[in-house]
Amino acid sequence: MAIISPGGSNNCLLSRLRALIKQQRLVHALSEGGLQAQFHTKMVPDSVPDKGCIDTSKWKKLDSRNLGIKPSMVSQPSWIVLKILQSEGFEAYLVGGCVRDLILKRIPKDFDVITTANLKQIKRQFYRAEIVGRRFPICRVHVKGSVIEVSSFETVAKHAGKKEADSPCRPPGCDKKDFIRWRNSMHRDFTINSLFFDPFANKIYDYANGMVDLRSLKLRTLGSAKLSFEEDCARILRGLRIAARLSLSISKETETAMHRLSSSILKLDKSRIMMELNYMLSYGAAEPSFCLLWRFDLLKILLPLHAAYFDRQSKNMKTAQSSTMLMKLFSSLDKVVSCDRPSESTLWVGLLAFHLALVNNPQDALVVLTFASVLYHEEWEEGVKFSRDNAEGIVNYVPEILCSSEFKSDKVLAKEVSQLASFVLDSISALTATESLIESMSRYPVFPCSGLVFVPKKMAEEVAEIFKGLVNIKSYNKGRKSFQIDYHSLGKGYLSEVRFVIGKVILETMNSGILQGKEVVQELDYHLLQENVKNYNKGRKHSLIPDTPEVKQEMSKKLKLKEQKCNLFEQDTAIDKQGVVELCQAPQRELIAVLGNMLAKRKFQLPEEEGIKKNQELSEDEKFQNKGEKKMHLKTIEKLQECMPPDMATKQQLNKVKKHNSSQEDTIKLKNMFQKKTQKVISEEIVEDRQVTDKGKGSLPPLPSVVSSEEIQKRKQVADNKKGGVS
């Protein structure tokens, strides 16, 4: 019979009592919130669970190679940090969103590392490293131009405070490293962010069913969503950002908690809100992020003016999303930026200010197009020319865009563009100053206004510099040298690059075509597009042609090349026809005289067979005694070609002979082929000529149907002698 110590019995009783109290508190909190959610035993609460709740059978270790993760997919700076920490005897893993993105074959926004070393030990390992953060400090390591955020397992333990005192002991048979990773994963925000990746061992560790939610593309908190968001309300914004970027569905409990606690984000620092908004709008998911902000009533808190605009446009987000200019602007922005090519926040702040100016002061379509074109070209004259050339493709938006007038002079256009720039500058203050925001919200008296402004004034000044040049529009003649986006400059927030991209985004939104260089290429013909799709997909059964500007540019180039070839062919055909007409209209007597002289000079006296044999014995250099004889030889071919009827096959042979400077043997063969036809034509013309010149003086005996060149010369001599005798 086993002996049970009194101390062990008391510990077991206390452990069960703590678990019961925690469960009762959780049920009480849920009932007070009016939620009808049930407590799922599978859902792990945010606090470290009790010893009895640990189920190691659900822990999973996966081979990263089976999931398609290759070492090359991890950035080089991350590898350097991991290797240095491991070489010093510390455990180091990739953790969080980067592991999630690698599994989904997405480019991670950044790579986060977690290690068993404490923050001071981490800092000592690297030349450039600093510890930042008060509530949850981390070490920022600078490696090869990148910043790697390194956290410590120890930090999570200290952050838990008293909760860690109640943490269970490591279960029997549980590996110490597994226990440390599990305890850390329980403090993560979402299940899909609780994965650890050891790239040295090619192992992925899952302690919270993160792979299940990742496969089903579900966003779910670890434990109670309400408790999770109450502990850190920034998780609401982070969750919406992840859902927007990865097109995730949100679990019912998580969605309900987001709706109920949306107003809690007012507790966040303005800098934190700005950072989260920048992550949403600068990394290629601005449009879906805006949709989710509207859906969860967060847009009313963060951007009340734009929320009021949405509310006035449509009662439901689906209609607003498909019809509003603001959503089209962010859709165009998403085509330009991505996680590996992000922009600086001045870009989306400038777009918000531009749109706000149009909502408050609707403009003529040509004015808006010229405004964007000048930003794009950085030159007034080129911008005006471009906008006038592409005014027909403008898409009108209500209420921002007015119907285009038939004509505006350059002077009037310059004045209205400058006025629009002034409106944009005025709108910036509504995003940075509470007084200006409240004043602007007077246009929507029924709509609530939180009074929150989170865009710093320094950034407002930088955005203003983007548009100031358009106030004195005619002096704006810098000129853009390259029309390719410099993503390094864009990420650094260089104003010239941000200005160029804002112009590009507005032009894409205003026009149905796609910008390529200095022109807008309209949608290609449907049949041409289908043909290119077939060619692209040839041999690729499950691939589709990517709808990107680069592909459309390539298709446009091919179309232009085909048009140029067609034009050249038509020109050549017209020249050939003109030559035929001129040849037919030339005096036949002149043609006969030319041919007679050519035949006399060349003196083709050799019989046909004998000439061919001699040419076979001659070398290529001996066939032509000098360059003049070779040129005469080519001219003979041209004259023979002109005499014959238009036979396409024969013309191709002659052109081929001429192009490759064929031997005299080929020429003689062709000459013999045409000789009968030319002799017949010449004989008929000689008879006609004699009838004209020797009227009433008798005539020579009729020529046979086929006359040799020698006979032609003899008869011409006889005719000339008679003329001399008469004279």
Side-chain angles (χ1 to χ4, degrees):
M1 185 172 146
I3 299 174
I4 302 175
S5 65
S9 177
N10 291 336
N11 289 337
C12 183
L13 182 62
L14 288 172
S15 176
R16 290 182 179 179
L17 183 61
R18 289 193 192 100
L20 181 61
I21 292 171
K22 287 180 181 179
Q23 185 172 351
Q24 288 177 344
R25 285 178 179 175
L26 178 61
V27 172
H28 179 67
L30 291 171
S31 61
E32 281 185 349
L35 301 176
Q36 300 298 323
Q38 297 178 351
F39 180 77
H40 298 281
T41 57
K42 292 183 180 180
M43 300 291 288
V44 185
D46 192 57
S47 59
V48 178
D50 188 74
K51 180 178 177 180
C53 296
I54 300 176
D55 186 2
T56 58
S57 64
K58 294 182 180 180
W59 295 0
K60 298 174 185 176
K61 297 180 183 179
L62 307 171
D63 192 326
S64 61
R65 293 168 294 189
N66 295 336
L67 298 173
I69 300 177
K70 301 177 182 178
S72 60
M73 297 169 69
V74 179
S75 69
Q76 188 179 4
S78 303
W79 272 113
I80 293 173
V81 172
L82 290 166
K83 287 178 180 178
I84 290 175
L85 290 171
Q86 192 187 58
S87 66
E88 294 298 322
F90 301 109
E91 294 290 324
Y93 309 91
L94 292 174
V95 67
C98 63
V99 184
R100 172 201 71 213
D101 291 343
L102 289 173
I103 295 172
L104 293 176
K105 304 296 186 297
R106 297 236 180 194
I107 299 174
K109 178 178 67 66
D110 47 32
F111 288 86
D112 295 332
V113 175
I114 189 167
T115 179
T116 52
N118 60 44
L119 294 179
K120 291 183 179 180
Q121 290 173 329
I122 296 170
K123 185 178 180 181
R124 282 198 297 265
Q125 305 305 320
F126 301 97
Y127 178 71
R128 291 186 61 197
E130 70 269 4
I131 299 173
V132 297
R134 289 176 295 177
R135 186 168 176 268
F136 193 86
I138 60 171
C139 187
R140 289 167 55 91
V141 180
H142 299 262
V143 182
K144 290 194 171 184
S146 299
V147 177
I148 306 298
E149 294 186 353
V150 185
S151 58
S152 173
F153 285 107
E154 184 182 277
T155 304
V156 176
K158 289 181 179 179
H159 177 67
K162 294 182 180 180
K163 297 177 183 178
E164 289 296 317
D166 298 333
S167 63
C169 298
R170 179 157 46 96
C174 175
D175 183 72
K176 182 180 179 181
K177 295 179 182 179
D178 274 325
F179 182 72
I180 292 173
R181 289 189 294 261
W182 167 82
R183 188 171 59 181
N184 181 272
S185 68
M186 292 299 103
H187 291 276
R188 297 278 163 182
D189 48 7
F190 303 102
T191 57
I192 59 175
N193 288 344
S194 65
L195 303 170
F196 296 85
F197 175 34
D198 183 355
F200 300 103
N202 295 309
K203 293 292 182 183
I204 290 179
Y205 302 94
D206 180 13
Y207 302 99
N209 283 329
M211 287 299 299
V212 174
D213 289 335
L214 201 56
R215 289 192 178 100
S216 60
L217 296 177
K218 179 80 71 175
L219 185 73
R220 190 193 310 274
T221 57
L222 275 156
S224 167
K226 181 176 182 293
L227 295 178
S228 177
F229 295 147
E230 284 178 345
E231 182 180 357
D232 184 4
C233 57
R235 291 174 175 175
I236 297 174
L237 295 176
R238 193 183 311 133
L240 294 181
R241 165 168 53 91
I242 296 170
R245 179 170 170 256
L246 302 178
S247 301
L248 304 179
S249 61
I250 303 175
S251 69
K252 187 175 181 181
E253 182 193 3
T254 305
E255 183 176 354
T256 303
M258 283 180 171
H259 274 294
R260 291 186 177 277
L261 298 172
S262 60
S263 60
S264 64
I265 65 170
L266 288 169
K267 301 175 185 178
L268 293 173
D269 292 338
K270 294 181 180 180
S271 59
R272 181 63 185 274
I273 295 175
M274 185 68 191
M275 183 185 73
E276 291 293 343
L277 261 290
N278 188 55
Y279 285 155
M280 284 185 174
L281 306 179
S282 295
Y283 288 79
E287 184 184 11
S289 295
F290 243 76
C291 292
L292 288 177
L293 289 174
W294 168 262
R295 174 181 159 192
F296 285 90
D297 297 325
L298 289 168
L299 201 62
K300 297 177 181 179
I301 300 171
L302 300 171
L303 297 167
L305 283 170
H306 296 86
Y309 159 80
F310 273 135
D311 188 66
R312 178 172 288 186
Q313 285 290 93
S314 177
K315 294 298 181 182
N316 60 73
M317 190 59 213
K318 186 176 179 181
T319 306
Q321 180 182 356
S322 61
S323 62
T324 65
M325 184 179 183
L326 182 60
M327 298 311 296
K328 296 295 182 182
L329 283 169
F330 282 116
S331 175
S332 299
L333 175 62
D334 290 341
K335 296 175 184 177
V336 175
V337 298
S338 59
C339 272
D340 58 330
R341 300 186 303 184
S343 69
E344 214 267 344
S345 51
T346 50
L347 178 56
W348 58 266
V349 173
L351 287 174
L352 287 176
F354 164 76
H355 179 261
L356 196 57
L358 288 182
V359 172
N360 296 332
N361 306 277
Q363 298 291 317
D364 185 278
L366 182 61
V367 174
V368 178
L369 191 65
T370 306
F371 178 89
S373 181
V374 174
L375 288 175
Y376 180 77
H377 293 90
E378 295 189 6
E379 187 177 358
W380 166 250
E381 293 181 359
E382 189 67 25
V384 172
K385 181 179 180 299
F386 180 89
S387 62
R388 291 193 187 279
D389 292 343
N390 296 277
E392 293 182 359
I394 293 176
V395 179
N396 287 329
Y397 297 97
V398 178
E400 297 92 341
I401 306 298
L402 303 174
C403 296
S404 295
S405 58
E406 293 184 0
F407 177 78
K408 284 182 184 291
S409 65
D410 287 359
K411 185 177 180 180
V412 173
L413 196 58
K415 182 179 178 181
E416 295 188 7
V417 169
S418 299
Q419 190 177 33
L420 176 57
S422 300
F423 291 147
V424 175
L425 293 175
D426 294 339
S427 299
I428 296 173
S429 60
L431 300 172
T432 57
T434 303
E435 299 80 8
S436 181
L437 172 63
I438 295 173
E439 182 181 350
S440 299
M441 284 299 295
S442 61
R443 295 169 55 93
Y444 311 97
V446 183
F447 206 82
C449 177
S450 63
L452 172 67
V453 290
F454 54 87
V455 178
K457 291 184 178 181
K458 184 178 179 181
M459 181 169 294
E461 294 173 359
E462 293 176 356
V463 175
E465 287 295 324
I466 296 173
F467 302 101
K468 277 183 179 178
L470 274 69
V471 176
N472 299 320
I473 190 70
K474 292 205 171 181
S475 61
Y476 194 71
N477 289 310
K478 295 181 180 180
R480 177 85 181 180
K481 294 180 180 179
S482 172
F483 290 88
Q484 297 294 324
I485 299 175
D486 182 353
Y487 282 99
H488 175 75
S489 300
L490 184 65
K492 294 291 184 180
Y494 294 158
L495 294 184
S496 60
E497 205 64 29
V498 175
R499 184 185 295 114
F500 166 71
V501 175
I502 287 178
K504 180 180 176 66
V505 169
I506 298 172
L507 286 176
E508 292 282 6
T509 304
M510 290 293 295
N511 202 288
S512 58
I514 301 296
L515 274 171
Q516 301 293 348
K518 287 193 176 184
E519 60 183 3
V520 175
V521 180
Q522 299 297 332
E523 291 294 329
L524 297 176
D525 181 75
Y526 175 79
H527 299 292
L528 178 65
L529 182 60
Q530 292 297 322
E531 180 183 351
N532 280 277
V533 170
K534 289 179 181 177
N535 294 335
Y536 185 87
N537 290 331
K538 190 175 181 180
R540 305 184 189 188
K541 295 181 180 179
H542 300 288
S543 63
L544 293 175
I545 183 168
D547 186 18
T548 61
E550 288 78 8
V551 174
K552 292 189 175 183
Q553 182 180 16
E554 187 65 25
M555 293 165 64
S556 177
K557 285 181 179 178
K558 290 181 180 180
L559 178 61
K560 289 182 179 179
L561 186 60
K562 288 182 179 180
E563 290 177 352
Q564 290 175 1
K565 288 182 178 179
C566 291
N567 293 335
L568 288 174
F569 177 75
E570 290 174 0
Q571 291 175 6
D572 292 340
T573 306
I575 292 171
D576 291 341
K577 290 180 179 179
Q578 184 179 359
V580 172
V581 172
E582 291 177 355
L583 180 63
C584 295
Q585 294 177 351
Q588 295 179 353
R589 186 181 302 170
E590 183 181 351
L591 175 62
I592 295 167
V594 172
L595 283 173
N597 294 332
M598 290 294 293
L599 289 170
K601 289 181 181 179
R602 292 298 297 137
K603 296 182 180 180
F604 290 118
Q605 300 294 336
L606 291 173
E608 183 175 327
E609 295 180 1
E610 191 176 350
I612 294 173
K613 287 180 181 179
K614 284 193 175 185
N615 277 283
Q616 288 176 348
E617 295 173 358
L618 293 174
S619 65
E620 189 67 27
D621 295 334
E622 293 171 343
K623 288 176 183 176
F624 302 105
Q625 297 298 328
N626 53 54
K627 293 183 179 179
E629 187 177 358
K630 188 173 181 178
K631 290 181 180 179
M632 190 67 69
H633 161 69
L634 295 174
K635 288 182 179 179
T636 304
I637 294 175
E638 293 176 356
K639 295 301 178 182
L640 291 170
Q641 185 179 2
E642 291 173 353
C643 292
M644 66 171 291
D647 187 341
M648 292 302 295
T650 311
K651 279 187 177 182
Q652 289 178 0
Q653 290 179 356
L654 282 170
N655 290 332
K656 187 176 180 180
V657 171
K658 182 178 177 181
K659 181 178 180 180
H660 298 284
N661 293 326
S662 66
S663 64
Q664 191 174 2
E665 173 189 341
D666 297 329
T667 306
I668 292 175
K669 287 181 180 180
L670 290 171
K671 181 188 78 64
N672 292 331
M673 188 187 300
F674 304 138
Q675 189 174 21
K676 293 181 180 180
K677 295 180 180 180
T678 56
Q679 286 172 348
K680 185 175 180 180
V681 173
I682 292 169
S683 62
E684 291 175 355
E685 296 301 331
I686 290 174
V687 172
E688 184 179 348
D689 181 66
R690 290 178 63 187
Q691 289 175 354
V692 173
T693 56
D694 299 330
K695 273 189 179 181
K697 295 183 180 180
S699 60
L700 293 172
L703 292 168
S705 58
V706 178
V707 185
S708 65
S709 59
E710 299 157 354
E711 188 67 18
I712 292 171
Q713 292 179 15
K714 285 180 182 180
R715 296 198 179 195
K716 287 188 74 176
Q717 288 176 3
V718 172
D720 293 336
N721 291 335
K722 285 187 177 183
K723 288 179 182 179
V726 172
S727 61

